């Protein structure tokens, strides 16, 4: 048998922590179906019914796709448009797994939402405290408000909200800590798919990106002032490259095909062409301003301002 190195052992422990935290999170969520397991009025098609009204809306959309039905009712047909990710995930799970639609929609919230333990533990590992990350995952996976809206039967887009947001937060931390291309690619992929699952949360993603840019700017301010050291080039590419690529990804007002093309074009430019730092700076500034417009940042600010006036908070 191959002798495990210390690094291999650490990876094994990391995976074990993830598995234990994940099973713990799902296990706690099993309380609800166990509590109502002998209540006949809570069953339909030999399965315990889900416990949220919106869930039936999304489940009907998934059932229509599975049955090949085109709904004439616009509201019924809009389920796919509201959350393409949830509806299609339900469709694929039902078609690929040996479970009924009723079983899939009942347990899917627990299966998906419990995945939040993964980025929590990885965040602890990134900061050099994997064990603390594990304990944080045990608490975070079953936190009261999060648990209430991701329990077994709570079939709604909430199962993706905090999980995907925290995963994006971890990817931004990875960019700040590791400063490598893989971190940027991970963050970009997560941002591309996020609106398909929980578009309402993009405002928080915008805010996290702005904070990332501010952090990177302050971290490299000494290097940006002078290009006499070798560190400047590495730091500048990390700073400017991150801003350039992530700004493109977050221009959500543009069609996703346009953003994908622009992203890979910019990536190819950064990898193949050695641009001067001043040119990188100008490109990064231009695209960040583009993000402010095409990411609908000003629109979000106006909406919040309108809500504040309507509620007479100020």
């Amino acid at each position: 048998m191959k002798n495990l190195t210390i690094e291999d052992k650490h990876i094994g422990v990391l995976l074990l922590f993830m598995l234990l935290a994940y099973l713990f999170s799902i296990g706690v969520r099993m309380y609800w179906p166990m509590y109502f397991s002998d209540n006949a009025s809570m069953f339909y098609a030999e399965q315990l019914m889900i416990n949220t009204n919106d869930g039936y809306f999304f489940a009907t959309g998934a059932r229509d796709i599975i049955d090949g039905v085109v709904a004439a009712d616009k509201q019924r047909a809009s389920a796919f448009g509201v959350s393409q990710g949830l509806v299609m995930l339900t469709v694929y799970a039902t078609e690929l797994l040996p479970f009924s639609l009723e079983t899939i929609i009942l347990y899917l919230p627990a299966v998906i939402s419990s995945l939040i333990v993964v980025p929590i533990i990885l965040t602890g590992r990134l900061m050099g405290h994997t064990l603390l990350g594990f304990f944080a995952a045990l608490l975070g996976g079953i936190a009261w408000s999060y648990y209430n809206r991701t329990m077994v039967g709570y079939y709604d887009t909430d199962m993706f909200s905090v999980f995907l947001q925290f995963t994006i937060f971890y990817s931004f931390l990875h960019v700040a800590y590791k400063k490598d291309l893989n971190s940027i690619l991970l963050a970009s992929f997560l941002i591309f798919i996020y609106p398909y699952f929980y578009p309402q949360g993009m405002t928080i993603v915008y805010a996290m990106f702005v904070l990332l840019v501010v952090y990177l700017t302050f971290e490299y301010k000494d290097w940006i002032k002078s290009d006499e050291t070798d560190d400047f080039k590495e730091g500048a590419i990390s700073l400017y490259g991150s801003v350039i690529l992530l700004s493109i990804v977050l221009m959500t007002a543009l069609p996703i095909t346009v953003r994908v093309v622009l992203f890979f074009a910019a990536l190819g430019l950064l990898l193949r062409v050695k641009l001067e730092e001043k040119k990188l700076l100008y490109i990064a500034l231009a695209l960040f301003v583009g993000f402010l417009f095409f990411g609908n940042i000003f629109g979000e600010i106006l909406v919040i301002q309108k809500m504040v006036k309507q509620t007479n908070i100020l």
Side-chain angles (χ1 to χ4, degrees), residues 58 65 79-90 157 195-197 199:
F58 294 116
I65 294 176
F80 180 77
V82 174
S83 181
Q84 299 177 33
L86 176 58
V87 172
M88 292 311 299
L89 179 61
T90 304
T157 54
Y196 293 102
F197 292 93

Side-chain angles (χ1 to χ4, degrees), residues 50-122:
I50 58 176
N51 47 42
T52 173
N53 295 335
D54 289 343
Y56 292 98
F57 170 65
F58 294 116
T60 300
R63 185 187 63 187
D64 286 344
I65 294 176
I66 294 171
D67 295 341
V69 174
V70 178
D73 187 334
K74 291 184 178 180
Q75 183 176 5
R76 174 175 169 179
S78 66
F80 180 77
V82 174
S83 181
Q84 299 177 33
L86 176 58
V87 172
M88 292 311 299
L89 179 61
T90 304
V91 170
Y92 289 133
T94 304
E95 291 180 342
L96 298 176
L97 299 176
F99 303 111
S100 66
L101 175 63
E102 289 76 17
T103 301
I104 293 294
I105 63 177
L106 178 67
Y107 291 103
L108 189 63
V111 172
I112 297 298
S113 64
S114 294
L115 289 172
I116 195 174
V117 303
V118 175
I120 293 177
I121 294 174
L122 288 176

Side-chain angles (χ1 to χ4, degrees), residues 244-256:
I244 289 171
L245 296 174
L246 293 177
S247 292
I248 292 173
V249 175
L250 283 164
M251 293 181 186
T252 51
L254 301 177
I256 187 171

Side-chain angles (χ1 to χ4, degrees), residues 16 21 27 49 107 112 120 138 146 153 166 170 184 235 268 292 295:
L16 178 61
M49 293 188 292
Y107 291 103
I112 297 298
I120 293 177
L138 293 179
Y146 184 62
F166 198 95
Y170 164 74
I184 299 174
L292 295 177

